[in-house]
Amino acid sequence: MSDLSALLTETTRPTVVRDLAELVDTTASSQSGLTGMAIKSALGAVRKAQPDAVAKGIDRFLPEIVRELTPYWEAYSPEQSAGFGNYLASREEDVTSSILKLGDAFADRGPAPVQKVYRSLRDKASSIVAPALPQLGDIVERHAR
């Protein structure tokens, strides 16, 4: 099995970034209620200022995303799991915690408005991230092979 550094190659990285940005869009658009409104408003404001901000952020943090997911990838056995997405979902608490660490670091380095919105949503972040784990894993597996 390949290692996840394949996601960082010059030929693969742009496609991985695009697919992850689409996952962010899909996940954000599926949110409802006040949380959904806050997320959609924040993404709208960010995109108004910089249309490709989500993709640029993902591209910037992709090496860290790969580093966080590598231990799960190394423990994953395709023969014993129904895909890397399901494998991540079966370890929801640990994987979500790893991803939220990245979100925390990203927000801490971002502009004040991003930090403010992130902090307001942080307590609900795991309930937003966890349902997207199967899709995240599927994207990773598709590009790592």
Side-chain angles (χ1 to χ4, degrees):
M1 194 160 80
S2 65
D3 70 41
L4 292 187
S5 65
L7 302 179
L8 302 174
T9 66
E10 194 174 305
T11 56
T12 305
R13 188 174 185 145
T15 308
V16 172
V17 168
R18 186 199 67 225
D19 288 354
L20 292 176
E22 288 175 7
L23 177 59
V24 168
D25 289 341
T26 302
T27 301
S29 67
S30 72
Q31 302 305 305
S32 60
L34 294 175
T35 300
M37 287 174 45
I39 292 170
K40 292 170 193 170
S41 294
L43 279 174
V46 166
R47 285 203 173 100
K48 189 172 185 177
Q50 187 177 15
D52 60 350
V54 172
K56 282 186 175 184
I58 291 169
D59 188 53
R60 179 177 173 201
F61 279 88
L62 190 58
E64 293 175 53
I65 294 167
V66 165
R67 186 186 70 240
E68 287 295 322
L69 292 177
T70 292
Y72 301 104
W73 182 254
E74 290 172 348
Y76 164 64
S77 170
E79 297 78 29
Q80 297 175 349
S81 300
F84 189 54
N86 288 327
Y87 180 82
L88 293 179
S90 73
R91 285 144 184 83
E92 179 180 302
E93 190 175 318
D94 291 336
V95 177
T96 299
S97 177
S98 293
I99 291 170
L100 291 180
K101 277 189 349 188
L102 292 175
D104 295 345
F106 179 75
D108 287 346
R109 293 185 225 167
V114 169
Q115 291 178 19
K116 183 178 179 182
V117 171
Y118 183 80
R119 281 190 212 111
S120 72
L121 298 171
R122 178 58 169 86
D123 290 342
K124 297 176 185 191
S126 62
S127 66
I128 296 166
V129 170
L133 291 177
Q135 295 91 342
L136 172 64
D138 291 347
I139 290 168
V140 168
E141 186 166 27
R142 182 171 59 248
H143 294 292
R145 298 215 176 264

